[in-house]
Amino acid sequence: MIQIQSLSKTYNYKKPNAFKALDNISLEIKDGELVAIIGRSGAGKSTLLHIIGCIDTFEEGSYKIDGEDIHNIGDKKLAVIRNQKVGIVMQDFALIEDYNVLENVKLPLYFAHKKSKGAEKAAREALEKVGISDLAQKSVNKLSGGQKQRVAIARAIVNDPSFILADEPTGALDTKTSSEIMALFKKLNSDGKTVIIITHDLSIADQCKRKIEISDGRITASA
C-alpha cells in the first residue's frame, strides 16, 4: 500500500529561485489497484513519479510503502526498497541495447544479489508472463517498440515488487501496440499486482479503475 500525506516538493529549496513542484499532496493507493495519475505537461506528474519510485526526495510530509516511512532514510536502504518494492517501466524503455532480452530482465536480480540459477528462473518466468519467452536470447536492438516495452515490463516484475509504476508506457507506441500493452497491464492487475500509470492520455486513463488528476502540483480530482 502507498500512503502519501501532506507531501510537498520544492526544487532549489530555500533559494531565491525556489519552485514548488508538489504542494500538499495526499493520496492512498491500496494493494491490487489499477490507478492512472493524469495531468498536463508541467502539472507535477513526473515529480510525483520520481518520489513514488524512490528516485527523488521531498521536504515536507510523509510517504509510506507497506507501512514503512521512506522519508530521511539512508541512500543504501532506499536503494534496497527501490529494488525490492518498486518496478518501474519507462516511456523510452531504458534497456541496455547491447544486451539480450534475458540479460536485461535479470539486471534487478543482480542488484538484489540473487544467485545465478535463481535469477535465470525468475527472469524466464517474468518473460513468460509478458508473452515473449521465445525472445529470451534475442538482442534488444533487434526488437520492435512493443517487444521492448514487454521486456521493460518483465524487468519491472522480475523481483515481484509491491507495485508497478509506469511512466507514459504507451507514449512511444502505435495504437494497436498501445492496446496490447494496456491489456498486459490489466492482466497483471487482475493477477493481483498493483499498477500505477502516469499518463496524459485520457484513453489510457479511462481503462484504469481509478483516476487521480494533478494540476499545478496539487491533486484536483480523484475518482
Side-chain angles (χ1 to χ4, degrees):
M1 178 184 288
I2 288 171
Q3 295 168 299
I4 292 176
Q5 187 67 41
S6 304
L7 186 149
S8 293
K9 167 67 180 180
T10 302
Y11 291 107
N12 302 315
Y13 189 58
K14 292 185 177 180
K15 294 182 180 180
N17 60 340
F19 170 71
K20 183 166 276 191
L22 296 177
D23 186 7
N24 198 34
I25 292 281
S26 294
L27 64 88
E28 181 175 285
I29 298 174
K30 296 178 180 179
D31 293 341
E33 283 201 85
L34 173 58
V35 178
I37 297 177
I38 62 174
R40 295 179 179 179
S41 178
K45 301 190 308 300
S46 294
T47 301
L48 184 56
L49 176 146
H50 289 155
I51 289 173
I52 293 175
C54 300
I55 298 168
D56 204 354
T57 58
F58 53 95
E59 296 79 36
E60 301 172 30
S62 68
Y63 171 33
K64 295 180 180 180
I65 301 177
D66 297 335
E68 183 170 11
D69 195 332
I70 67 153
H71 196 25
N72 292 325
I73 66 174
D75 290 343
K76 187 174 181 179
K77 186 173 182 181
L78 189 62
V80 172
I81 292 173
R82 188 164 53 239
N83 179 264
Q84 295 179 353
K85 297 283 189 178
V86 187
I88 299 181
V89 181
M90 306 303 289
Q91 180 179 352
D92 63 356
F93 318 126
L95 302 174
I96 299 177
E97 292 284 321
D98 293 335
Y99 282 17
N100 68 26
V101 167
L102 189 65
E103 289 168 337
N104 268 277
V105 176
K106 286 166 67 175
L107 280 174
L109 301 171
Y110 293 138
F111 293 109
H113 305 293
K114 194 156 188 173
K115 292 182 179 179
S116 180
K117 189 174 181 180
E120 178 96 7
K121 182 174 183 290
R124 290 189 179 278
E125 287 175 351
L127 288 172
E128 184 72 34
K129 287 179 182 178
V130 302
I132 54 169
S133 56
D134 58 320
L135 300 178
Q137 300 302 324
K138 192 164 185 176
S139 179
V140 164
N141 58 26
K142 304 290 186 184
L143 301 180
S144 68
Q147 290 170 333
K148 286 181 179 180
Q149 195 61 294
R150 287 176 183 268
V151 176
I153 295 169
R155 184 184 57 191
I157 65 174
V158 72
N159 261 343
D160 191 26
S162 294
F163 59 89
I164 301 168
L165 183 61
D167 182 17
E168 300 284 4
T170 62
L173 306 176
D174 60 53
T175 302
K176 180 177 180 295
T177 308
S178 294
S179 296
E180 293 171 354
I181 293 300
M182 275 307 298
L184 176 54
F185 279 124
K186 287 188 278 189
K187 175 64 167 61
L188 290 169
N189 177 249
S190 69
D191 289 341
K193 188 62 64 181
T194 306
V195 180
I196 305 162
I197 297 176
I198 310 293
T199 184
H200 68 277
D201 187 339
L202 290 179
S203 68
I204 296 298
D206 286 343
Q207 297 180 61
C208 297
K209 297 174 183 175
R210 183 157 69 99
K211 290 183 282 189
I212 298 170
E213 186 171 358
I214 185 170
S215 178
D216 297 326
R218 288 177 172 267
I219 291 177
T220 55
S222 181

